[in-house]
Amino acid sequence: MNPYKELKDKAYEANLKLVKHKLVIYTFGNVSASDNSKGVFAIKPSGVSYGKLKAGDMVVVDFENNVVEGKLKPSSDTKTHAILYKNFSGIGGVAHTHSTYATAWAQAVKPIPILGTTHADLLPQEVPCTKVMSDEQIKGDYEKATGSQILEVFKNISYEDVKMTLVACHGPFTWGATAEEAVYNSVMLEDLAKSVFLTLKINPQITPIKKALIQKHYNRKHGKGSYYGQK
Amino acid sequence: MNPYKELKDKAYEANLKLVKHKLVIYTFGNVSASDNSKGVFAIKPSGVSYGKLKAGDMVVVDFENNVVEGKLKPSSDTKTHAILYKNFSGIGGVAHTHSTYATAWAQAVKPIPILGTTHADLLPQEVPCTKVMSDEQIKGDYEKATGSQILEVFKNISYEDVKMTLVACHGPFTWGATAEEAVYNSVMLEDLAKSVFLTLKINPQITPIKKALIQKHYNRKHGKGSYYGQK
Amino acid sequence: MNPYKELKDKAYEANLKLVKHKLVIYTFGNVSASDNSKGVFAIKPSGVSYGKLKAGDMVVVDFENNVVEGKLKPSSDTKTHAILYKNFSGIGGVAHTHSTYATAWAQAVKPIPILGTTHADLLPQEVPCTKVMSDEQIKGDYEKATGSQILEVFKNISYEDVKMTLVACHGPFTWGATAEEAVYNSVMLEDLAKSVFLTLKINPQITPIKKALIQKHYNRKHGKGSYYGQK
Amino acid sequence: MNPYKELKDKAYEANLKLVKHKLVIYTFGNVSASDNSKGVFAIKPSGVSYGKLKAGDMVVVDFENNVVEGKLKPSSDTKTHAILYKNFSGIGGVAHTHSTYATAWAQAVKPIPILGTTHADLLPQEVPCTKVMSDEQIKGDYEKATGSQILEVFKNISYEDVKMTLVACHGPFTWGATAEEAVYNSVMLEDLAKSVFLTLKINPQITPIKKALIQKHYNRKHGKGSYYGQK
């Protein structure tokens, strides 16, 4: 049996969830799932539409971007996934979508301010946005540079607290302990992106919520003092 | 047989209606149903996704926030529900959602003005919004403070006429004679929140509708002179 | 057999189409179908939700607002329908919805300007909006006054060319040769209302399209020189 | 057997995809598929609703607008399709919709600026918009003039790179190597139109993305250096 079957199945299931949550159309977007013990991840093949995708189509790649198993070419964004796995130790999934509102914020080159408790339930600060790439970066190893732009953002932010970013002029990337969590974060990011958009249209003068409120909600769900859920 | 079976079934059915009306995603939002003769209510367990929820998972809690029956932890918003049941005598259901437009108004910390007859069919004034909590309230008994903020709003407003409020920076709470009516009010509030948002984008100078029109429509549907429906 | 069975079936089918096109929720909105040879129309009963509605529930009313057949109370908007049938000779259906964008324009008390050919395919001018009612009208025979406000608008406009209007602070009414056409006009009005909303957000300086273009498109589909469709 | 059966089937399937992607309602919109070896195309009949459409209803027309086969009248936009096939050598499909956001841009008489990589994946510049027609053009051979307005735009733009345009005051036209690709371009255009609308609402000062980024993304998917997909 294919030693990567389970990993490929996970990646496949997670890709289908993007469709279910209406975050992708045609071939846009991709999710990967990693097996950190083996130093590899399974990712959607490039340019295959979700309607025709099969679990066996997933491509297995290592963290240096070498194809380990699979007949198809991996997603054109594979290098970006590889850099995230290599640098964000312990994450198990990465998702990239062109979801409507999150992409609009990325294209606007604006971070998404934290204006409510739904946001604070998820992450304890604004959703960051990378800088616009230089011409040199674009003309060079572009997909690797996308990863570098993300790493730059997370020099001073914990990737374990903030499991998402906007890539300027492009769209959102999210991650998590599993591919399923990465997709969850993509869904929630789209929800936040729309909610904050509307909030600012209703009240352009509104300012970010209090630090105490951010901490209260974030700590209800995360860390040792958390009391949300059944744990 | 479980003496709370019927109550738990009602709460369960009402929670599923939130999903049907697309007011909640994942584990956000919760509905409870009360049995006022027994002084208890059944509420959604904390952090359980709607897809996996079963009627038997509902947790029965009294109006002082003590768990009476159930194996799971009740919703993290249970204290807020308990305060409403304790103070809004006669209500039989409470719903809390993170629905898109109502949440945006709550995050904008703005009441929803009454600009049309659909609104007046439902309630005879703007949808109120609580004050922003103080740091002390947030750091103290937060979920209880959420309830207190709501009670503060209803010092001068009848909770029987206005069965909904926005909680600043958070989202909407609605209630009613039954859990089903609480959900109905959540659905209608989301509809109003969107409708008023669009109205103000078309005509920012528009002012609230006339008192006579509010009374006409509200009284068509409520009170002894009502002539809407089959009663 | 009930002599109004066919008429009631038509009205029932048309009411269900409002649901199918997502123009109504719960009990909001109503459609009627008239038999002009008998001087009667069948209309949705008041306050019955679409999910529970049956064809036999339709109520038959004459153009003076007297119930002719049916066990239930007719829609609270029945008088408004009656006035339209009485005065707009030859129409066979009337629809009233609280559809999102059309209602927002009505609440904004603004006619919908004619900014594109989809609009001109349907009607040769802006969608009119009634005046706001006086307190006297509201406190008097309100539903009749709603009809009078509409007639006022159509003193100088042909109800055969313009089969729709916004009622200020309330929502849209549409009509047509049949109940089915009235629903068609409600669906198209909602489409126009959204389209014009977006157009003005993209370009607030845009002005109505040329008279020649209005005439070209309107006459392609209506009148003796029309060449659209299979006639 | 009908020598045009295969062509009519293609056109029929493509028309149904407009419905599936929610780009059309009722009878608005039309797709055609051409057989360039025979110099003909199959197009939707005029004014037939999508629900009742059959493959055999498609009408076969030559590039001079003469009906070659079919019992029904072709779409009222047939002349516009014919001009595009005659002048845009090698295209195999044309689609015309009244999709919400693309139509709003057309009605606003504004090209859609290129603000993100999704856009650059599809075409290397803004989506153009034709000029507003003169009264003479409107009153003359209107549908042919619509085609001429489009040709005017493509005097200085390659129709092979930019497979779409907005027709001022009207709506979008798209094309491609096949009818299926024309529909794909209509779907993607609607997505872009919404995305750019939102981006400008978030940040009205945003400017088009860098030329280097446009070239990088466009060339990833198109031309001899492309590396996207499985080719």
Side-chain angles (χ1 to χ4, degrees):
Chain A
M1 199 187 87
N2 187 319
Y4 302 112
K5 185 178 183 305
E6 195 183 342
L7 188 64
K8 289 168 84 170
D9 285 351
K10 271 187 204 170
Y12 172 70
E13 295 296 337
N15 273 285
L16 292 195
K17 281 194 177 157
L18 287 190
V19 180
K20 185 189 152 200
H21 287 286
K22 300 188 181 173
L23 298 187
V24 291
I25 52 171
Y26 292 119
T27 64
F28 290 85
N30 41 73
V31 191
S32 64
S34 74
D35 180 337
N36 293 322
S37 69
K38 293 178 180 162
V40 298
F41 60 98
I43 190 165
K44 182 174 171 291
S46 182
V48 176
S49 70
Y50 291 98
K52 296 182 179 166
L53 200 61
K54 291 171 200 159
D57 291 343
M58 298 294 120
V59 186
V60 181
V61 182
D62 69 21
F63 295 178
E64 300 300 332
N65 199 47
N66 302 302
V67 171
V68 172
E69 195 268 351
K71 290 173 194 158
L72 299 173
K73 273 171 61 188
S75 164
S76 60
D77 295 311
T78 300
K79 268 189 193 166
T80 313
H81 288 244
I83 289 177
L84 295 183
Y85 285 117
K86 194 173 171 183
N87 289 275
F88 291 175
S89 170
I91 64 170
V94 172
H96 170 49
T97 80
H98 288 218
S99 70
T100 311
Y101 284 85
T103 299
W105 282 93
Q107 292 183 161
V109 194
K110 291 269 188 193
I112 304 176
I114 181 164
L115 302 184
T117 61
T118 321
H119 190 136
D121 282 333
L122 203 66
L123 72 167
Q125 59 149 72
E126 67 182 21
V127 178
C129 184
T130 70
K131 287 186 188 162
V132 172
M133 271 188 210
S134 69
D135 281 15
E136 288 64 38
Q137 287 177 302
I138 295 167
K139 289 175 182 165
D141 194 343
Y142 173 69
E143 289 81 7
K144 191 176 165 189
T146 300
S148 304
Q149 293 288 88
I150 296 174
L151 296 187
E152 179 81 17
V153 165
F154 285 86
K155 271 189 181 164
N156 302 307
I157 299 175
S158 158
Y159 70 85
E160 291 179 303
D161 282 342
V162 179
K163 295 172 182 169
M164 58 186 66
T165 189
L166 305 173
V167 173
C169 310
H170 190 150
F173 279 82
T174 63
W175 48 89
T178 60
E180 193 176 356
E181 199 206 336
V183 170
Y184 173 86
N185 286 328
S186 285
V187 174
M188 289 307 301
L189 170 54
E190 179 63 9
D191 186 79
L192 292 183
K194 182 172 185 182
S195 181
V196 174
F197 173 81
L198 294 171
T199 303
L200 288 169
K201 290 293 151 208
I202 294 169
N203 187 354
Q205 276 75 47
I206 199 73
T207 51
I209 58 173
K210 290 171 174 227
K211 282 203 173 161
L213 191 58
I214 296 174
Q215 284 162 8
K216 181 73 196 178
H217 269 265
Y218 189 68
N219 294 337
R220 278 212 312 187
K221 288 204 166 181
H222 305 86
K224 54 184 177 179
S226 69
Y227 57 94
Y228 181 89
Q230 299 298 329
K231 329 166 247 190
Chain B
M1 199 186 87
N2 187 319
Y4 301 113
K5 184 178 184 307
E6 197 183 340
L7 189 64
K8 289 168 85 169
D9 284 352
K10 270 188 205 168
Y12 172 70
E13 295 296 336
N15 273 285
L16 292 195
K17 281 195 178 157
L18 288 189
V19 181
K20 185 190 152 200
H21 287 285
K22 301 188 181 173
L23 298 187
V24 291
I25 51 171
Y26 292 118
T27 64
F28 290 86
N30 41 72
V31 191
S32 64
S34 74
D35 181 336
N36 293 323
S37 69
K38 293 178 182 161
V40 298
F41 60 99
I43 191 165
K44 183 174 170 293
S46 182
V48 176
S49 70
Y50 291 97
K52 295 183 179 164
L53 200 61
K54 292 172 200 158
D57 292 341
M58 298 295 120
V59 186
V60 182
V61 182
D62 70 21
F63 295 179
E64 300 300 333
N65 200 45
N66 303 301
V67 171
V68 172
E69 195 267 351
K71 290 173 196 159
L72 299 172
K73 271 171 62 187
S75 163
S76 59
D77 295 311
T78 300
K79 269 188 193 167
T80 313
H81 288 244
I83 289 178
L84 296 183
Y85 285 117
K86 194 173 172 183
N87 289 277
F88 290 176
S89 170
I91 64 170
V94 172
H96 170 49
T97 80
H98 289 218
S99 70
T100 311
Y101 285 85
T103 299
W105 281 94
Q107 293 184 161
V109 194
K110 291 269 188 194
I112 303 176
I114 180 163
L115 302 184
T117 62
T118 320
H119 190 137
D121 283 332
L122 202 67
L123 73 166
Q125 60 150 68
E126 66 182 21
V127 179
C129 184
T130 69
K131 286 186 189 162
V132 172
M133 271 189 210
S134 68
D135 281 15
E136 288 65 37
Q137 288 177 300
I138 295 167
K139 290 175 182 167
D141 194 344
Y142 174 69
E143 288 81 7
K144 191 175 166 190
T146 299
S148 304
Q149 293 289 87
I150 296 175
L151 295 187
E152 179 81 16
V153 165
F154 285 86
K155 271 189 182 164
N156 302 306
I157 300 175
S158 158
Y159 70 85
E160 290 179 305
D161 281 343
V162 179
K163 295 172 183 167
M164 59 187 64
T165 190
L166 305 173
V167 173
C169 310
H170 190 149
F173 279 83
T174 63
W175 47 91
T178 60
E180 191 175 358
E181 200 206 333
V183 170
Y184 173 86
N185 286 328
S186 285
V187 174
M188 289 308 299
L189 171 53
E190 179 64 9
D191 187 80
L192 292 183
K194 182 172 185 181
S195 181
V196 174
F197 173 81
L198 294 172
T199 303
L200 288 169
K201 289 293 151 208
I202 294 169
N203 186 354
Q205 276 77 46
I206 199 73
T207 52
I209 57 173
K210 289 169 174 229
K211 282 203 173 161
L213 191 58
I214 296 174
Q215 284 161 9
K216 182 73 196 177
H217 269 264
Y218 190 68
N219 295 336
R220 279 211 312 187
K221 288 205 165 179
H222 304 86
K224 55 184 177 179
S226 69
Y227 57 93
Y228 181 90
Q230 299 299 330
K231 338 164 239 193
Chain C
M1 199 186 87
N2 187 318
Y4 301 112
K5 184 179 184 306
E6 197 182 341
L7 188 63
K8 289 169 84 169
D9 284 351
K10 269 188 205 169
Y12 172 70
E13 295 296 336
N15 272 287
L16 292 195
K17 281 195 176 156
L18 287 190
V19 181
K20 185 188 152 199
H21 288 286
K22 301 187 180 174
L23 298 187
V24 291
I25 51 171
Y26 292 119
T27 64
F28 290 86
N30 40 73
V31 190
S32 63
S34 74
D35 180 336
N36 293 323
S37 69
K38 293 178 180 161
V40 298
F41 60 98
I43 191 166
K44 184 175 169 294
S46 183
V48 176
S49 71
Y50 291 98
K52 296 183 178 166
L53 200 62
K54 292 172 200 159
D57 292 341
M58 298 293 120
V59 186
V60 181
V61 182
D62 71 19
F63 295 178
E64 300 300 333
N65 199 45
N66 303 301
V67 171
V68 171
E69 195 267 351
K71 290 172 195 159
L72 300 172
K73 273 171 60 188
S75 164
S76 59
D77 295 311
T78 300
K79 269 189 192 165
T80 314
H81 288 243
I83 289 177
L84 296 183
Y85 285 117
K86 194 173 172 183
N87 289 275
F88 291 175
S89 169
I91 65 169
V94 172
H96 170 48
T97 80
H98 289 218
S99 70
T100 311
Y101 285 85
T103 299
W105 281 92
Q107 294 184 159
V109 194
K110 291 270 187 192
I112 303 177
I114 181 164
L115 303 184
T117 62
T118 320
H119 190 139
D121 283 333
L122 202 67
L123 74 166
Q125 60 151 68
E126 66 182 22
V127 179
C129 184
T130 69
K131 286 185 188 163
V132 172
M133 271 188 209
S134 69
D135 281 15
E136 288 65 39
Q137 288 177 301
I138 295 167
K139 289 175 183 168
D141 194 343
Y142 173 69
E143 289 81 6
K144 192 175 166 189
T146 300
S148 304
Q149 293 288 89
I150 296 175
L151 295 186
E152 179 81 16
V153 165
F154 285 86
K155 272 188 179 165
N156 301 306
I157 299 175
S158 158
Y159 70 85
E160 290 178 304
D161 281 343
V162 179
K163 295 171 183 169
M164 59 186 66
T165 190
L166 305 173
V167 173
C169 309
H170 190 150
F173 278 84
T174 63
W175 48 88
T178 61
E180 192 175 358
E181 200 206 334
V183 170
Y184 173 85
N185 285 329
S186 285
V187 174
M188 289 307 300
L189 171 52
E190 179 64 9
D191 187 79
L192 291 183
K194 182 172 186 181
S195 182
V196 174
F197 172 82
L198 294 172
T199 303
L200 288 169
K201 290 292 152 210
I202 294 169
N203 186 354
Q205 276 77 46
I206 199 73
T207 52
I209 58 173
K210 289 169 173 226
K211 282 202 172 160
L213 191 58
I214 296 174
Q215 284 162 10
K216 182 72 196 178
H217 269 265
Y218 189 68
N219 294 336
R220 278 211 314 187
K221 287 204 165 180
H222 304 86
K224 56 184 176 180
S226 69
Y227 56 94
Y228 182 90
Q230 300 298 331
K231 325 165 251 194
Chain D
M1 200 186 86
N2 187 319
Y4 301 112
K5 184 180 184 304
E6 195 183 342
L7 188 63
K8 289 170 83 169
D9 285 351
K10 270 188 206 170
Y12 173 70
E13 295 295 337
N15 273 285
L16 293 195
K17 281 194 177 157
L18 287 190
V19 180
K20 185 190 151 199
H21 287 286
K22 301 187 180 174
L23 297 187
V24 292
I25 51 171
Y26 292 118
T27 64
F28 291 85
N30 41 72
V31 191
S32 64
S34 73
D35 180 336
N36 293 323
S37 69
K38 293 177 180 162
V40 299
F41 61 98
I43 191 165
K44 183 174 170 292
S46 183
V48 175
S49 70
Y50 292 97
K52 295 183 177 165
L53 200 62
K54 291 172 200 157
D57 292 342
M58 299 293 120
V59 187
V60 181
V61 182
D62 70 19
F63 295 178
E64 300 300 333
N65 200 46
N66 303 301
V67 171
V68 172
E69 194 268 351
K71 290 172 194 160
L72 299 172
K73 273 171 59 187
S75 164
S76 59
D77 295 310
T78 301
K79 268 188 193 167
T80 313
H81 289 242
I83 289 176
L84 296 183
Y85 285 117
K86 195 173 171 183
N87 289 276
F88 291 175
S89 170
I91 65 170
V94 172
H96 170 48
T97 80
H98 289 219
S99 70
T100 311
Y101 285 85
T103 299
W105 281 94
Q107 293 184 160
V109 194
K110 290 270 187 192
I112 303 176
I114 181 164
L115 303 184
T117 61
T118 320
H119 189 138
D121 282 333
L122 203 66
L123 73 166
Q125 58 151 72
E126 66 182 21
V127 179
C129 183
T130 69
K131 286 185 189 164
V132 173
M133 271 189 209
S134 69
D135 281 15
E136 289 65 39
Q137 288 176 302
I138 295 167
K139 289 174 182 166
D141 194 344
Y142 173 69
E143 289 82 6
K144 191 175 165 189
T146 300
S148 304
Q149 293 288 89
I150 296 174
L151 295 186
E152 180 81 16
V153 165
F154 285 85
K155 271 188 180 167
N156 302 308
I157 299 175
S158 158
Y159 70 86
E160 291 179 304
D161 281 342
V162 179
K163 294 172 182 170
M164 59 186 65
T165 189
L166 305 172
V167 173
C169 310
H170 190 150
F173 278 84
T174 63
W175 47 89
T178 61
E180 192 176 357
E181 199 205 336
V183 170
Y184 173 86
N185 286 327
S186 285
V187 174
M188 289 307 300
L189 171 52
E190 179 64 7
D191 186 79
L192 291 183
K194 182 172 186 183
S195 181
V196 174
F197 173 81
L198 293 171
T199 303
L200 288 169
K201 291 292 152 208
I202 294 169
N203 187 354
Q205 275 76 47
I206 199 74
T207 52
I209 57 173
K210 290 170 174 226
K211 281 203 172 160
L213 191 58
I214 296 174
Q215 284 162 8
K216 182 72 195 178
H217 269 265
Y218 190 68
N219 294 336
R220 276 212 313 188
K221 287 204 165 180
H222 304 87
K224 54 183 176 180
S226 67
Y227 57 94
Y228 181 90
Q230 300 298 330
K231 323 166 252 190

